[in-house]
Amino acid sequence: MKRVLTVLLMAAVVSFAFAAGGKQGGGSGGVTKGMDRKIVMGYSQIGAESEWRTACTNSVKAAAEEYNIELIFSDAQQKQENQLQAIRAFIRQKVDVIAFTPVVSTGWEAILQECKDAKIPTICVDRTVDAPNTLYDVYIGSDIKAEGVKAAVWMVNYMKNTGNTRGKDDGRRAINVVELQGTVGSAAATDRQVGFKQELAKYPNYKITKSQTGNFTRAEGLQVMEAWMKAPDAGDIDVLFAHNDDMAIGAIDAIKTAGKKPATDIIVISVDAVKGAFEAMLRKELNATIECNPLLGPQIMETGVKLVLKQPVDKWIPSIESQYDWTTAEQAYPSRQY
Ligand code: GZL
């Protein structure tokens, strides 16, 4: 009897998998027409705060189409309570898999346990959560701390070799850095700051003299930098490190309004590598951007299919990313996808 049941179960899994259009969980068309039922994925997205977020959302929606997955998409308007409500609704709707980008890192244990209790696999996308990784199935996204390290490494090299109008880094001169942080409590902001500071600690003449959140938006990046440019010590600023390009682009406007030259008087380094950053680099107003890839849709859908088909998946699926500055921006810009 046991053997019969095992054979029947295997047949059921195989038929569901083949009904998923043959290639199990793989590449475009992996789960295509011909299935007797579409896989249903609930996705809780943070909002639309930046070019990066919009590119991420577009990638998710396009990939759901391509993978023939029914996507129930929720925009949380930057509020965690909206995310928790949306995920509870997904559970009530008995979706097959839940993906979410946590707006902040804390406060996810209970809801992830509810998903587990409902036997719905979960994919944490783009930002990590402060919760045991046994509570979710996969994290798909960047090594955010490494992005902060890369930004600091690039900055020190540039200041040693080129410098700003106040001169190069001779290993002794005080180099004053101001930092525009992303959303307070988000893994993206926390980990970029940790990585940046960890690398900066190797160079005692570098100091972060001001640090404030611009919430990953252009408007708030402009606002904060405007205030810094009006302060009596504005002339001491050597470098701006912004946790994303949108805040850097806003800050660049403030630097120009104050009569200073961005990327020359004040070196500007940010993260994401969105189109706006390339345009600013081509205008020689931004010095460098560390790529954080938002085009996660295909990886999310492929992973969702594998989870539904109970196939093995890695605990962390890292994004593929690079970095760009004036030496590489012009050549890379035409082929940028976001
Ligand atoms: C990073 C992502 C951040 C981007 C911002 O993984 O969460 O959120 O860097 C976006 O542009 O708003």
Side-chain angles (χ1 to χ4, degrees), residues 49-50 52-53 126-127 144 188 192 216 243-244 272 292:
E49 73 282 1
S50 61
W52 192 98
R53 186 65 52 205
D126 165 29
R127 297 180 183 178
I144 299 268
R192 276 173 194 157
F216 284 132
H243 290 183
N244 84 330
D272 280 351
C292 176

PDB file of all heavy atoms in Angstrom, residues 49-50 52-53 126-127 144 188 192 216 243-244 272 292, ligand 1:
ATOM      1  N   GLU A  49       9.308  54.942  -4.101  1.00  0.00           N
ATOM      2  CA  GLU A  49      10.097  56.065  -3.587  1.00  0.00           C
ATOM      3  C   GLU A  49      11.248  56.475  -4.478  1.00  0.00           C
ATOM      4  O   GLU A  49      11.795  57.577  -4.321  1.00  0.00           O
ATOM      5  CB  GLU A  49      10.621  55.730  -2.173  1.00  0.00           C
ATOM      6  CG  GLU A  49      11.749  54.719  -2.116  1.00  0.00           C
ATOM      7  CD  GLU A  49      11.307  53.259  -2.290  1.00  0.00           C
ATOM      8  OE1 GLU A  49      10.115  52.993  -2.484  1.00  0.00           O
ATOM      9  OE2 GLU A  49      12.187  52.388  -2.254  1.00  0.00           O
ATOM     10  N   SER A  50      11.680  55.585  -5.389  1.00  0.00           N
ATOM     11  CA  SER A  50      12.891  55.912  -6.161  1.00  0.00           C
ATOM     12  C   SER A  50      12.845  55.263  -7.539  1.00  0.00           C
ATOM     13  O   SER A  50      12.045  54.347  -7.786  1.00  0.00           O
ATOM     14  CB  SER A  50      14.127  55.392  -5.403  1.00  0.00           C
ATOM     15  OG  SER A  50      14.032  53.980  -5.260  1.00  0.00           O
ATOM     16  N   TRP A  52      14.956  53.326  -8.584  1.00  0.00           N
ATOM     17  CA  TRP A  52      15.335  51.926  -8.351  1.00  0.00           C
ATOM     18  C   TRP A  52      14.086  51.097  -8.064  1.00  0.00           C
ATOM     19  O   TRP A  52      13.871  50.038  -8.625  1.00  0.00           O
ATOM     20  CB  TRP A  52      16.300  51.848  -7.154  1.00  0.00           C
ATOM     21  CG  TRP A  52      16.976  50.540  -6.973  1.00  0.00           C
ATOM     22  CD1 TRP A  52      18.235  50.208  -7.376  1.00  0.00           C
ATOM     23  CD2 TRP A  52      16.439  49.360  -6.339  1.00  0.00           C
ATOM     24  NE1 TRP A  52      18.518  48.891  -7.038  1.00  0.00           N
ATOM     25  CE2 TRP A  52      17.435  48.355  -6.407  1.00  0.00           C
ATOM     26  CE3 TRP A  52      15.225  49.054  -5.735  1.00  0.00           C
ATOM     27  CZ2 TRP A  52      17.259  47.073  -5.880  1.00  0.00           C
ATOM     28  CZ3 TRP A  52      15.038  47.776  -5.205  1.00  0.00           C
ATOM     29  CH2 TRP A  52      16.038  46.810  -5.288  1.00  0.00           C
ATOM     30  N   ARG A  53      13.228  51.583  -7.192  1.00  0.00           N
ATOM     31  CA  ARG A  53      12.037  50.832  -6.782  1.00  0.00           C
ATOM     32  C   ARG A  53      11.112  50.625  -7.979  1.00  0.00           C
ATOM     33  O   ARG A  53      10.575  49.521  -8.156  1.00  0.00           O
ATOM     34  CB  ARG A  53      11.294  51.583  -5.674  1.00  0.00           C
ATOM     35  CG  ARG A  53      10.128  50.826  -5.063  1.00  0.00           C
ATOM     36  CD  ARG A  53      10.550  49.585  -4.327  1.00  0.00           C
ATOM     37  NE  ARG A  53      11.599  49.852  -3.365  1.00  0.00           N
ATOM     38  CZ  ARG A  53      12.464  48.958  -2.923  1.00  0.00           C
ATOM     39  NH1 ARG A  53      12.397  47.707  -3.332  1.00  0.00           N
ATOM     40  NH2 ARG A  53      13.409  49.275  -2.080  1.00  0.00           N
ATOM     41  N   ASP A 126      15.319  41.859  -1.881  1.00  0.00           N
ATOM     42  CA  ASP A 126      15.986  43.162  -1.925  1.00  0.00           C
ATOM     43  C   ASP A 126      16.545  43.626  -0.585  1.00  0.00           C
ATOM     44  O   ASP A 126      17.674  44.091  -0.504  1.00  0.00           O
ATOM     45  CB  ASP A 126      15.018  44.219  -2.504  1.00  0.00           C
ATOM     46  CG  ASP A 126      15.464  45.629  -2.260  1.00  0.00           C
ATOM     47  OD1 ASP A 126      16.696  45.830  -2.176  1.00  0.00           O
ATOM     48  OD2 ASP A 126      14.622  46.525  -2.136  1.00  0.00           O
ATOM     49  N   ARG A 127      15.781  43.542   0.498  1.00  0.00           N
ATOM     50  CA  ARG A 127      16.271  43.966   1.809  1.00  0.00           C
ATOM     51  C   ARG A 127      16.085  42.799   2.781  1.00  0.00           C
ATOM     52  O   ARG A 127      15.096  42.078   2.693  1.00  0.00           O
ATOM     53  CB  ARG A 127      15.487  45.173   2.353  1.00  0.00           C
ATOM     54  CG  ARG A 127      15.623  46.432   1.498  1.00  0.00           C
ATOM     55  CD  ARG A 127      14.829  47.589   2.080  1.00  0.00           C
ATOM     56  NE  ARG A 127      14.917  48.765   1.211  1.00  0.00           N
ATOM     57  CZ  ARG A 127      14.271  49.917   1.459  1.00  0.00           C
ATOM     58  NH1 ARG A 127      13.494  50.037   2.534  1.00  0.00           N
ATOM     59  NH2 ARG A 127      14.389  50.947   0.637  1.00  0.00           N
ATOM     60  N   ILE A 144      24.385  44.085   0.581  1.00  0.00           N
ATOM     61  CA  ILE A 144      24.250  45.544   0.767  1.00  0.00           C
ATOM     62  C   ILE A 144      25.447  46.123   1.499  1.00  0.00           C
ATOM     63  O   ILE A 144      25.942  47.202   1.191  1.00  0.00           O
ATOM     64  CB  ILE A 144      22.945  45.848   1.543  1.00  0.00           C
ATOM     65  CG1 ILE A 144      21.731  45.344   0.762  1.00  0.00           C
ATOM     66  CG2 ILE A 144      22.829  47.326   1.871  1.00  0.00           C
ATOM     67  CD1 ILE A 144      21.086  46.296  -0.156  1.00  0.00           C
ATOM     68  N   ALA A 188      18.835  48.259   3.809  1.00  0.00           N
ATOM     69  CA  ALA A 188      19.619  48.957   2.774  1.00  0.00           C
ATOM     70  C   ALA A 188      20.416  50.099   3.399  1.00  0.00           C
ATOM     71  O   ALA A 188      21.608  50.271   3.119  1.00  0.00           O
ATOM     72  CB  ALA A 188      18.673  49.489   1.700  1.00  0.00           C
ATOM     73  N   ARG A 192      24.532  49.552   4.335  1.00  0.00           N
ATOM     74  CA  ARG A 192      25.439  50.408   3.558  1.00  0.00           C
ATOM     75  C   ARG A 192      26.298  51.253   4.515  1.00  0.00           C
ATOM     76  O   ARG A 192      27.500  51.424   4.315  1.00  0.00           O
ATOM     77  CB  ARG A 192      24.655  51.311   2.601  1.00  0.00           C
ATOM     78  CG  ARG A 192      24.321  50.601   1.323  1.00  0.00           C
ATOM     79  CD  ARG A 192      23.415  51.334   0.362  1.00  0.00           C
ATOM     80  NE  ARG A 192      22.942  50.356  -0.627  1.00  0.00           N
ATOM     81  CZ  ARG A 192      21.850  50.487  -1.341  1.00  0.00           C
ATOM     82  NH1 ARG A 192      21.087  51.575  -1.198  1.00  0.00           N
ATOM     83  NH2 ARG A 192      21.477  49.561  -2.191  1.00  0.00           N
ATOM     84  N   PHE A 216      15.725  57.938   0.897  1.00  0.00           N
ATOM     85  CA  PHE A 216      15.886  57.409  -0.463  1.00  0.00           C
ATOM     86  C   PHE A 216      15.171  58.261  -1.532  1.00  0.00           C
ATOM     87  O   PHE A 216      15.001  57.785  -2.662  1.00  0.00           O
ATOM     88  CB  PHE A 216      15.369  55.961  -0.563  1.00  0.00           C
ATOM     89  CG  PHE A 216      16.284  54.938   0.049  1.00  0.00           C
ATOM     90  CD1 PHE A 216      15.804  53.959   0.909  1.00  0.00           C
ATOM     91  CD2 PHE A 216      17.647  54.936  -0.235  1.00  0.00           C
ATOM     92  CE1 PHE A 216      16.636  53.007   1.469  1.00  0.00           C
ATOM     93  CE2 PHE A 216      18.499  53.973   0.316  1.00  0.00           C
ATOM     94  CZ  PHE A 216      17.981  53.016   1.169  1.00  0.00           C
ATOM     95  N   HIS A 243      23.227  57.113   0.148  1.00  0.00           N
ATOM     96  CA  HIS A 243      22.858  55.686   0.093  1.00  0.00           C
ATOM     97  C   HIS A 243      22.088  55.327  -1.173  1.00  0.00           C
ATOM     98  O   HIS A 243      21.873  54.133  -1.413  1.00  0.00           O
ATOM     99  CB  HIS A 243      22.020  55.291   1.323  1.00  0.00           C
ATOM    100  CG  HIS A 243      22.804  55.263   2.597  1.00  0.00           C
ATOM    101  ND1 HIS A 243      22.255  54.870   3.800  1.00  0.00           N
ATOM    102  CD2 HIS A 243      24.085  55.593   2.875  1.00  0.00           C
ATOM    103  CE1 HIS A 243      23.171  54.945   4.756  1.00  0.00           C
ATOM    104  NE2 HIS A 243      24.285  55.392   4.226  1.00  0.00           N
ATOM    105  N   ASN A 244      21.602  56.293  -1.918  1.00  0.00           N
ATOM    106  CA  ASN A 244      21.078  55.954  -3.258  1.00  0.00           C
ATOM    107  C   ASN A 244      21.189  57.144  -4.196  1.00  0.00           C
ATOM    108  O   ASN A 244      21.368  58.288  -3.782  1.00  0.00           O
ATOM    109  CB  ASN A 244      19.640  55.406  -3.183  1.00  0.00           C
ATOM    110  CG  ASN A 244      18.581  56.500  -3.134  1.00  0.00           C
ATOM    111  OD1 ASN A 244      18.832  57.593  -2.627  1.00  0.00           O
ATOM    112  ND2 ASN A 244      17.417  56.201  -3.651  1.00  0.00           N
ATOM    113  N   ASP A 272      23.178  52.443  -6.479  1.00  0.00           N
ATOM    114  CA  ASP A 272      22.072  51.963  -7.316  1.00  0.00           C
ATOM    115  C   ASP A 272      22.480  51.819  -8.777  1.00  0.00           C
ATOM    116  O   ASP A 272      22.188  50.813  -9.402  1.00  0.00           O
ATOM    117  CB  ASP A 272      20.816  52.875  -7.254  1.00  0.00           C
ATOM    118  CG  ASP A 272      19.963  52.643  -6.017  1.00  0.00           C
ATOM    119  OD1 ASP A 272      20.239  51.665  -5.295  1.00  0.00           O
ATOM    120  OD2 ASP A 272      19.035  53.431  -5.777  1.00  0.00           O
ATOM    121  N   CYS A 292      23.356  48.483  -7.589  1.00  0.00           N
ATOM    122  CA  CYS A 292      22.512  47.598  -6.781  1.00  0.00           C
ATOM    123  C   CYS A 292      21.394  47.189  -7.723  1.00  0.00           C
ATOM    124  O   CYS A 292      20.543  47.996  -8.073  1.00  0.00           O
ATOM    125  CB  CYS A 292      21.956  48.356  -5.580  1.00  0.00           C
ATOM    126  SG  CYS A 292      20.829  47.371  -4.597  1.00  0.00           S
TER     127      CYS A 292
HETATM  128  C1  GZL B   1      18.390  48.620  -2.092  1.00  0.00           C
HETATM  129  C2  GZL B   1      16.970  49.169  -2.139  1.00  0.00           C
HETATM  130  C3  GZL B   1      16.998  50.645  -1.977  1.00  0.00           C
HETATM  131  C4  GZL B   1      17.636  51.377  -3.148  1.00  0.00           C
HETATM  132  C5  GZL B   1      16.850  52.633  -3.134  1.00  0.00           C
HETATM  133  O1  GZL B   1      18.397  47.244  -2.060  1.00  0.00           O
HETATM  134  O2  GZL B   1      16.191  48.591  -1.119  1.00  0.00           O
HETATM  135  O3  GZL B   1      15.655  51.123  -1.884  1.00  0.00           O
HETATM  136  O4  GZL B   1      19.011  51.587  -2.986  1.00  0.00           O
HETATM  137  C6  GZL B   1      15.458  52.084  -2.932  1.00  0.00           C
HETATM  138  O5  GZL B   1      16.958  53.403  -4.298  1.00  0.00           O
HETATM  139  O6  GZL B   1      14.563  53.084  -2.616  1.00  0.00           O
END
